[in-house]
Amino acid sequence: MINSGALAGRTVFISGASRGIGEAFALKFAKDGANVVVAAKTATPHPKLPGTIYTVAEKIEAAGGKALPLIVDIRDEHAVKKAADEAAATFGGIDICVNNASAISLTGTADTPMKRFDLMMGINTRGTYCVTQACLPYLKKSSHAHILNNSPPLNMKPIWFRNHVAYTMAKYGMSMCVLGHAEEFRDYGIGVNAIWPATAIATAAIDMLGGDAMMRTSRKPEIMADAAYAMLSRDPKTFTGNFCIDEEVLKEEGVTDFDQYHNCPGEALSPDFFLGDDYPVPESYTSNEPFKLGGDKIAAMMSKFQPLMTPEIISKTGILFAIDFGDKTYVFDLKDSGTISEGSGEGADVTFQMSPDVFVKVVKGEIQTTAAFMSGQMKIKGNLMEAMKLESLFKKMKTQL
């Protein structure tokens, strides 16, 4: 999507802009000549994730914008207020607040320590509220004031709560800010909206968690940046209180070529969480398909995978996972012994529940793990982020069938 100059000279305060979607936002706005405040914690390079507030600031300047990198932990209200005040003093005000910073842990209640719960609530919900509050005095003075939260539509189907209730609560807290602030700030002419992707987005974090398999079924961050740009170019007095999906916004803008955003054109895209009835959202993650493979065939199939349990795989994966076929459960020890055995699956970091036929499709690459999960053909218990590590192992299993 071509820049129109709508944000030229505007000051945009972005939380979590040191990499990924936040960085894509910053660079898109910079092309208009916007002033971009890069508010994030990452001042020194992460050992596995690229990008700092300073590297992004350099890119912003190179793209034609002005940058102000600020080290900010948005859980610290005093640091947030100081950052907002410094941004306003540097650029003469704040026109747009983008709440992008977020923490994620796709774990159930028993597997979510309170420290992790507090982190998600502190960054996602409280942090969003805090940043908005700090920017508010300056937004009230702007002639083009927007607040944009990177958060999902408030889809209340139980499936979006059952596997990771803490994460859902934290993200929905951001969305509830949109719902409330859109009405609270309406008289000030401040537009408050949410943006959410229709598919997985190819960021360094996704690469670390899901590897090449997940990256190939994702879209580039630029689709989110283009959609956000379109939303922030609209009149905030009339465009407010919306929960927008990136591709829907771009279709409204006349975009028809979505292959340009695909990280690997031709691959089936992985749908994102929390999408509504216009997308293929399952009522349940439990498959009702009959089991077509007998127990003997399952055992024979499992024996073929034993050679893959190498020290290299164990060192890269480091988890205990189980596959529950209903009548039998197989435990893959990728922590210590490197063995595959029948068992109860008790104590596994991740348990996959599916029919043998779906398992074969996953291994053959006929369906991605994420797609099987989202379509209800597979159920996952435990840490979903750990489950994403197994895509590479499933890919290697294909060679043994």
Side-chain angles (χ1 to χ4, degrees), residues 258-278:
F258 285 90
D259 281 345
Q260 64 178 306
Y261 299 115
H262 201 316
N263 207 39
C264 188
E267 293 279 351
L269 289 163
S270 295
D272 204 351
F273 292 177
F274 308 120
L275 299 175
D277 292 336
D278 291 337

Side-chain angles (χ1 to χ4, degrees), residues 165-207:
V165 64
Y167 174 64
T168 300
M169 289 166 63
K171 288 303 291 186
Y172 279 18
M174 296 177 69
S175 299
M176 290 171 73
C177 284
V178 171
L179 192 65
H181 288 156
E183 293 306 312
E184 182 181 354
F185 305 153
R186 188 181 293 275
D187 290 343
Y188 299 115
I190 301 173
V192 187
N193 299 284
I195 184 171
W196 192 249
T199 70
I201 299 297
T203 62
I206 286 294
D207 189 23

Side-chain angles (χ1 to χ4, degrees), residues 7 10-13 94-98 139 144-147 232:
L7 302 186
R10 298 292 183 184
T11 297
V12 188
F13 189 106
I94 297 173
D95 300 290
I96 297 168
C97 168
V98 179
L139 294 171
H144 188 81
H146 277 280
I147 297 170
L232 296 174

Side-chain angles (χ1 to χ4, degrees), residues 13 72-85 122 126-127 129-131 133-135:
F13 189 106
V72 183
D73 182 343
I74 64 171
R75 293 171 294 176
D76 182 344
E77 61 192 275
H78 302 293
V80 172
K81 185 179 185 306
K82 181 181 178 182
D85 292 344
R126 186 181 186 277
Y129 190 94
C130 183
V131 171
Q133 185 182 72
C135 292

Side-chain angles (χ1 to χ4, degrees), residues 307-319 334-336 338 389 392-393 396:
L308 299 176
M309 308 291 279
T310 63
E312 180 185 5
I313 287 290
I314 292 173
S315 65
K316 286 184 177 180
T317 311
I319 65 173
L334 290 172
K335 276 187 176 178
D336 302 308
K389 293 181 180 179
S392 60
L393 177 60
K396 290 184 177 182

